[in-house]
């Protein structure tokens, strides 16, 4: 499939999403609209996913004209137990997206119909291995909410528009699609509203290019890994980059993440399904990672990728239990209560496999501040856990213009040098934001692999130098920026000044002569 065809499909998809947004403009707030569109896309996706799976099985068995969507609910019921075991859920033919949509315009109780369908889908997983993965998945698509319309009639009218718009999306057979259509629609919606929602949107959304850079660094030299983990997984974009770069079947034991925000946690699970990752290949938990980590039985992880929230408050040393927690205790000190950044770093390091790599976006302040943060940096450097620090350009993220960094952690370094890369100019400007191009990403990853000293760009710094610099990890301390100011020839400049002064004296004499002449003529 050519890149041109891919772009055409992507643009067509984006136009379809924009058309739905246009149709519902003024009816539903943007950030809520995103949840409704993604929820309805998810409903369509799992309906088609189940139908395709059953149809393929029947066609292989010689039943060429079989169509699950045309089957009666009574006959279909016989397949329930097998489908829940295989796919993790079950949907009756009458409750498939295509069939509910057919009668939606004439269904005065459409909101109740959909609520019932969503409850039945979630209920189908109850008591099975997939129960946790489906519980509450449709919570953010509240079909009875005033956000959808002031009256039942208005809500139902908007639901019809929504279903029609989703149905008209040309998603093809998801297996044959040259773009990851559902996943791409998800990312387009997130970027569309993250940019408008400021921090409330940006805190759950890592731009695709940054996700790609982080993940490519974390999987350098690996064609397959055991597990991928993100301790602050948001909507799952970093986990899914690993699936995209390695191939989801090359992440042998699956994708693990934890997220504190309920809405984003639901989005993450939906996103896993939309990227065709089955329920038994992911484990996304909803809790506070620092206080209540949910994956003790699954660590260590070979790949950890994360963009944790910047400088959030946490309990820190006001909770006496935390200093005895095996994740934090090795440093002998806890991250400050007002800045949990290094707590996330310590958590990731604790759960990193011996042969693994953690690639984490960091707030720049943690690289140079004193106090407890300096002591934690000292622990990380003295024990040779920091492999690389990368300074990123400013304005890469929605909702903040801060120039962030990437910290790369390893437990099996070959030497005690730390690589510092100044990638602050590796970007192009797109509207008000900066963006990493494929060339920028390649240049940074190539340098990470080669570890060459390149003037004004990268330096491998020995342990002693970092120690002498009081464990300051700011890239600017070790990589000198290029001086782009014009070089001035002082000798030439002095000669020019001397010439200007001489000309000035000649002019002054000439002016004096003219004034004397004018004064003489006035006296006469």
């Amino acid at each position: 499939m050519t890149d041109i065809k891919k772009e055409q499909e992507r643009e067509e998809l984006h136009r379809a999403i924009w058309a739905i947004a246009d149709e519902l403009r003024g009816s539903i707030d943007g950030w809520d609209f995103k949840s409704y569109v993604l929820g309805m896309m998810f409903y369509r996706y799992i309906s088609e996913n189940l139908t395709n799976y059953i149809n393929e099985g029947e066609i292989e068995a010689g039943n060429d004209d079989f169509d699950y969507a045309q089957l009666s609910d009574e006959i279909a019921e016989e397949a329930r137990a097998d489908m829940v075991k295989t796919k993790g859920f079950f949907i009756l033919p009458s409750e498939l997206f295509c069939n509910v949509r057919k009668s939606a315009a004439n269904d005065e109780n459409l909101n109740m119909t959909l609520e019932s369908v969503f409850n039945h889908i979630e209920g189908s997983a109850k008591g099975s291995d997939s129960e946790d993965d489906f519980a509450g998945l449709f919570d953010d698509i509240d079909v009875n909410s005033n956000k959808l319309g002031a009256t039942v009639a208005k809500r139902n009218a908007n639901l019809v528009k929504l279903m029609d718009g989703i149905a008209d999306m040309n998603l093809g057979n998801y297996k044959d699609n040259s773009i990851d259509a559902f996943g791409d629609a998800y990312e387009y919606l997130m970027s569309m509203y993250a940019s408008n929602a400021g921090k409330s949107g940006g805190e759950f959304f890592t731009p695709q290019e940054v996700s790609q850079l982080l993940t490519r660094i974390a999987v350098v030299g690996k064609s397959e890994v055991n597990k991928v983990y993100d301790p602050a997984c948001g909507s799952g974009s970093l986990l899914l980059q690993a699936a995209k770069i390695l191939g989801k079947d090359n992440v042998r034991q699956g994708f693990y993440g934890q997220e504190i925000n309920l809405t984003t946690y639901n989005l993450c699970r939906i996103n896993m399904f939309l990227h065709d990752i089955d329920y038994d290949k992911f484990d996304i938990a909803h809790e506070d990672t620092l206080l209540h980590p949910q994956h003790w039985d699954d660590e260590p992880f070979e790949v950890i990728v994360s963009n944790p929230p910047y400088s959030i408050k946490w309990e820190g040393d006001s909770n006496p239990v935390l200093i005895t927690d095996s994740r934090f205790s090795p440093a002998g000190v806890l991250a400050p209560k007002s800045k949990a950044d290094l707590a996330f770093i310590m958590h990731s390091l604790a759960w990193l496999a011996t042969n693994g790599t953690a690639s984490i976006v960091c707030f720049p302040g943690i690289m140079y501040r004193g106090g407890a943060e300096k002591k934690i940096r000292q622990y990380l450097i003295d024990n040779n856990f920091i492999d690389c620090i990368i300074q990123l350009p400013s304005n890469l993220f929605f909702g903040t213009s801060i120039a962030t960094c990437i910290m790369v952690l390893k437990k099996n370094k070959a030497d005690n040098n730390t690589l510092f890369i100044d990638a602050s100019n590796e970007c192009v400007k797109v509207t008000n934001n900066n963006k990493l191009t494929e060339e920028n990403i390649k240049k940074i990853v190539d340098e990470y692999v080669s570890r060459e000293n390149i003037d004004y760009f990268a330096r491998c710094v020995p342990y002693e130098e970092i120690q002498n610099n009081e464990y300051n990890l700011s890239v600017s301390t070790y990589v000198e920026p290029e001086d782009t100011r014009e070089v001035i020839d002082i000798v030439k400049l002095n000669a020019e000044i001397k010439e200007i002064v001489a000309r000035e004296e000649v002019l002054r004499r000439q002016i004096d002569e003219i004034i004397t002449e004018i004064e003489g003529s006035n006296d006469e």
Side-chain angles (χ1 to χ4, degrees):
M1 182 61 68
T2 65
D3 287 342
I4 294 171
K5 179 78 192 305
K6 279 186 182 181
E7 280 310 311
Q8 285 172 343
E9 285 185 4
R10 190 170 277 119
E11 281 174 22
E12 184 184 339
L13 183 65
H14 292 178
R15 276 197 300 274
I17 293 171
W18 192 257
I20 302 171
D22 219 30
E23 187 72 39
L24 294 173
R25 197 180 301 283
S27 302
I28 308 174
D29 175 67
W31 198 240
D32 296 314
F33 167 79
K34 168 192 58 62
S35 296
Y36 282 106
V37 171
L38 287 172
M40 202 61 80
M41 280 187 73
F42 176 59
Y43 174 34
R44 176 183 162 182
Y45 172 81
I46 60 172
S47 294
E48 292 179 6
N49 184 293
L50 186 74
T51 302
N52 289 344
Y53 182 80
I54 294 172
N55 287 354
E56 280 171 16
E58 289 292 327
I59 289 164
E60 278 175 23
N63 195 352
D64 292 345
D65 297 327
F66 184 85
D67 181 6
Y68 180 69
Q70 305 295 322
L71 216 60
S72 73
D73 285 355
E74 290 72 28
I75 295 173
E77 193 65 53
E78 295 170 16
R80 178 183 290 271
D82 189 36
M83 285 303 104
V84 170
K85 189 176 178 184
T86 309
K87 302 296 290 180
F89 67 96
F90 181 70
I91 308 174
L92 288 166
S94 68
E95 296 188 333
L96 292 167
F97 175 88
C98 61
N99 289 332
V100 172
R101 187 233 173 179
K102 272 179 198 169
S103 52
N106 300 314
D107 185 353
E108 290 180 3
N109 299 308
L110 179 61
N111 60 325
M112 302 305 291
T113 301
L114 286 169
E115 184 175 42
S116 173
V117 169
F118 296 160
N119 286 338
H120 290 164
I121 294 171
E122 286 184 22
S124 71
K126 277 200 175 128
S128 74
D129 291 342
S130 60
E131 180 172 355
D132 289 345
D133 297 315
F134 279 86
L137 262 185
F138 290 98
D139 282 0
D140 288 311
I141 319 153
D142 184 354
V143 289
N144 297 306
S145 169
N146 287 333
K147 290 175 179 177
L148 198 55
T151 64
V152 170
K154 283 179 181 171
R155 279 171 223 157
N156 285 344
N158 281 333
L159 285 168
V160 171
K161 288 176 185 174
L162 191 57
M163 292 195 82
D164 286 346
I166 300 296
D168 290 342
M169 282 184 186
N170 180 21
L171 300 174
N173 181 337
Y174 70 96
K175 283 186 178 172
D176 301 333
N177 220 297
S178 67
I179 57 166
D180 169 12
F182 283 99
D184 190 76
Y186 176 89
E187 283 166 1
Y188 177 66
L189 273 161
M190 288 299 284
S191 61
M192 195 170 151
Y193 289 109
S195 55
N196 292 337
K199 197 157 186 257
S200 65
E203 67 188 12
F204 340 123
F205 186 71
T206 307
Q208 202 171 0
E209 299 76 24
V210 180
S211 298
Q212 195 183 342
L213 173 61
L214 271 182
T215 311
R216 277 173 60 175
I217 284 171
V219 302
V220 158
K222 297 177 188 287
S223 56
E224 60 173 22
V225 299
N226 72 339
K227 308 169 197 170
V228 178
Y229 173 64
D230 184 346
C233 63
S235 52
S237 65
L238 282 163
L239 293 173
L240 291 163
Q241 273 295 333
K244 193 179 273 187
I245 290 167
L246 289 170
K248 64 186 172 73
D249 295 331
N250 292 321
V251 181
R252 294 185 303 271
Q253 293 172 51
F255 303 84
Y256 295 77
Q258 189 162 335
E259 173 54 41
I260 195 168
N261 179 288
L262 180 61
T263 296
T264 321
Y265 159 69
N266 286 335
L267 287 179
C268 185
R269 291 185 297 156
I270 285 175
N271 206 7
M272 292 291 137
F273 286 114
L274 291 184
H275 284 80
D276 199 29
I277 293 173
D278 290 331
Y279 77 93
D280 56 349
K281 284 295 291 280
F282 71 83
D283 184 341
I284 309 300
H286 174 232
E287 251 298 355
D288 184 321
T289 303
L290 299 180
L291 301 183
H292 305 290
Q294 298 295 298
H295 294 106
W296 282 110
D297 296 335
D298 305 300
E299 60 97 4
F301 300 100
E302 198 173 335
V303 170
I304 297 178
V305 279
S306 193
N307 178 16
Y310 308 142
S311 300
I312 58 163
K313 293 181 174 64
W314 77 308
E315 289 183 9
D317 58 15
S318 64
N319 181 340
V321 174
L322 288 173
I323 195 59
T324 64
D325 188 309
S326 61
R327 297 169 298 156
F328 309 123
S329 59
V333 66
L334 295 169
K337 283 187 283 193
S338 60
K339 300 174 182 72
D341 309 67
L342 280 164
F344 281 103
I345 298 285
M346 289 297 294
H347 166 83
S348 296
L349 177 67
W351 283 14
L352 182 63
T354 311
N355 65 335
T357 306
S359 187
I360 304 162
V361 179
C362 301
F363 187 81
I366 69 165
M367 301 298 175
Y368 57 80
R369 287 190 296 241
E373 290 180 308
K374 181 186 172 186
K375 287 178 183 169
I376 296 172
R377 288 198 306 275
Q378 180 171 351
Y379 164 76
L380 295 170
I381 288 291
D382 284 350
N383 288 279
N384 203 26
F385 292 135
I386 298 185
D387 188 40
C388 181
I389 304 287
I390 302 167
Q391 175 63 61
L392 294 175
S394 60
N395 261 331
L396 282 182
F397 293 83
F398 296 112
T400 179
S401 61
I402 294 164
T404 55
C405 306
I406 294 173
M407 182 183 286
V408 184
L409 301 171
K410 275 182 180 289
K411 288 182 172 175
N412 61 344
K413 285 172 63 182
D415 57 37
N416 67 350
N417 296 334
T418 299
L419 177 65
F420 289 84
I421 301 175
D422 183 358
S424 53
N425 294 318
E426 293 300 315
C427 62
V428 293
K429 193 166 180 63
V430 180
T431 60
N432 293 328
N433 276 67
N434 288 324
K435 186 175 178 178
L436 298 170
T437 65
E438 183 58 42
E439 291 76 22
N440 298 141
I441 294 169
K442 184 177 186 305
K443 183 177 176 182
I444 297 165
V445 174
D446 285 351
E447 170 56 33
Y448 176 70
V449 173
S450 73
R451 305 181 85 79
E452 287 179 20
N453 289 334
I454 299 174
D455 286 349
Y456 317 122
F457 181 58
R459 242 190 97 210
C460 250
V461 179
Y463 164 73
E464 293 76 17
E465 187 176 339
I466 298 173
Q467 190 183 34
N468 292 338
N469 275 307
E470 300 285 316
Y471 298 94
N472 185 323
L473 295 179
S474 297
V475 172
S476 59
T477 305
Y478 305 99
V479 181
E480 184 187 355
E482 186 172 6
D483 190 344
T484 54
R485 293 174 300 178
E486 186 183 350
V487 177
I488 296 168
D489 184 335
I490 296 295
V491 175
K492 187 180 174 188
L493 182 63
N494 281 338
E496 286 174 359
I497 291 170
K498 197 173 178 183
E499 191 180 321
I500 290 166
V501 170
R503 280 169 53 204
E504 197 178 34
E505 283 188 15
V506 171
L507 285 169
R508 194 169 279 128
R509 278 201 307 273
Q510 288 173 345
I511 290 166
D512 286 345
E513 285 171 10
I514 292 167
I515 291 170
T516 303
E517 199 176 309
I518 291 168
E519 285 174 345
S521 62
N522 283 342
D523 289 344
E524 288 175 10

